Amino acid sequence: MNSIFSTTLLLGFLCLASNSVQGSARCRRAVSTCILTPETTEGPYSWNTTLMRQNISEDRPGIPFRLYLTVMNINTCEPIVNAAVEIWHCDALGIYSHYIQASNNVQNPKTDNSTYLRGMQLTNASGVATFDTIYPGWYTGRATHIHVRVHLNGVYVTSTGYYSDGSLVKTGQLFFNDSLTDLVAQQSPYSTHTITRTLNSVDTIYQSSTITLMDIQYVSSAAGLSGGMVTSATLGVSSSSTSSSTTTKASASTTTARTSSTTTVRTSRATTTTQRSQTGGANNSKRPWWQFFG
């Protein structure tokens, strides 16, 4: 099954501020692309019971992170409306909901009913699904990433909270620039993480696919990391692609996406193959979401 994955900016023009990672100041016009690239594995922590919601952070502390995902038809390069986009990732300390014991390396682990950092959204008229979460952590052997799946042609019934009879047409993982994660790793609670981080350059999943790193932006140039971050990516699928049919339990509650002015964060792709450890930093995770995203 083929699909595309390419980074795209939602704003017509974006300016690099003097306090961005590379400290440059310039403007450029955003260009959307439609490029065929391989898929990636969904990983071991998927769970076919996902809440239909925009804010998936629940009680997890971390740097606020907004993610816009556009689903595009690779045959026409047109957005797809009402595609079901599902994401999940670990918390700042590398723990996945529903698999807390397994994430903590417990022998013969049991699953649980926790749901943090998992969610599903239907794409809007522009083909965009919006998620509010935290910047992911990491765990042994894997670089920092977010899991994503796209389902088409399913039925979502608000009265029951179920999305059913959809075809799985996209499975992938979204990756972050190592230079940016170096900065995140100095902030609390990431700085308390005892596991040495694996870089993209030695991550087997990252190396097995042609992947474009996400273009991360500060929500507020003055606040930097503590003010949260935002990014967008395009998930290209073929409307003729099919996989296993899915039935997904979901909550009927949804939230409305809002836009905010952003400052682009530029980071160069890391080339070293060594692993890095982390040092302490300040806690910046306690402010409510509405203060980060207007």
Side-chain angles (χ1 to χ4, degrees):
M1 177 170 56
N2 290 327
S3 66
I4 66 166
F5 176 87
S6 61
T7 302
T8 184
L9 301 177
L10 292 178
L11 304 179
F13 290 90
L14 290 171
C15 297
L16 299 178
S18 58
N19 66 339
S20 66
V21 171
Q22 290 187 338
S24 59
R26 60 188 177 86
C27 297
R28 71 179 180 85
R29 187 174 181 83
V31 179
S32 297
T33 57
C34 188
I35 304 171
L36 188 67
T37 57
E39 287 205 340
T40 58
T41 178
E42 69 177 23
Y45 296 118
S46 63
W47 181 26
N48 198 33
T49 302
T50 302
L51 294 169
M52 186 70 73
R53 57 185 181 173
Q54 177 178 316
N55 190 335
I56 66 173
S57 58
E58 293 189 17
D59 62 346
R60 297 295 96 177
I63 296 174
F65 188 73
R66 173 166 281 189
L67 178 61
Y68 296 98
L69 294 176
T70 300
V71 179
M72 181 182 291
N73 188 321
I74 63 171
N75 300 311
T76 64
C77 279
E78 294 294 329
I80 297 177
V81 180
N82 286 328
V85 182
E86 175 189 2
I87 71 168
W88 69 98
H89 63 84
C90 67
D91 68 7
L93 300 183
I95 306 300
Y96 280 90
S97 64
H98 194 65
Y99 296 98
I100 293 176
Q101 288 189 355
S103 299
N104 284 297
N105 298 316
V106 174
Q107 292 189 349
N108 302 316
K110 297 180 180 179
T111 57
D112 57 81
N113 292 323
S114 59
T115 58
Y116 58 79
L117 306 179
R118 297 178 183 272
M120 175 180 280
Q121 283 280 275
L122 298 179
T123 56
N124 62 18
S126 300
V128 179
T130 304
F131 294 94
D132 289 331
T133 182
I134 62 170
Y135 195 96
W138 54 90
Y139 50 98
T140 302
R142 290 303 319 279
T144 302
H145 61 279
I146 292 176
H147 301 268
V148 60
R149 289 191 294 216
V150 179
H151 313 266
L152 293 182
N153 304 317
V155 177
Y156 174 59
V157 181
T158 56
S159 61
T160 63
Y162 278 94
Y163 176 88
S164 61
D165 298 326
S167 297
L168 177 62
V169 295
K170 166 71 182 178
T171 302
Q173 297 181 24
L174 311 177
F175 286 83
F176 297 80
N177 196 295
D178 285 321
S179 298
L180 178 56
T181 307
D182 282 345
L183 298 177
V184 171
Q186 298 174 27
Q187 313 300 312
S188 178
Y190 307 88
S191 58
T192 64
H193 207 335
T194 59
I195 296 176
T196 301
R197 202 174 90 243
T198 298
L199 301 183
N200 293 330
S201 54
V202 292
D203 183 281
T204 56
I205 304 301
Y206 181 86
Q207 293 301 313
S208 66
S209 302
T210 304
I211 295 174
T212 301
L213 295 174
M214 289 186 291
D215 190 3
I216 310 297
Q217 306 155 35
Y218 291 135
V219 171
S220 166
S221 59
L225 289 177
S226 64
M229 291 179 282
V230 61
T231 193
S232 58
T234 297
L235 307 172
V237 302
S238 172
S239 59
S240 62
S241 299
T242 58
S243 184
S244 59
S245 179
T246 60
T247 299
T248 303
K249 180 67 171 67
S251 167
S253 62
T254 58
T255 54
T256 302
R258 298 176 181 176
T259 59
S260 61
S261 59
T262 57
T263 301
T264 303
V265 179
R266 291 291 179 183
T267 54
S268 59
R269 179 167 176 170
T271 57
T272 178
T273 57
T274 59
Q275 293 181 324
R276 299 172 181 168
S277 59
Q278 289 72 48
T279 58
N283 190 335
N284 52 53
S285 62
K286 301 302 183 182
R287 294 165 61 192
W289 275 96
W290 60 265
Q291 290 186 6
F292 293 111
F293 301 109

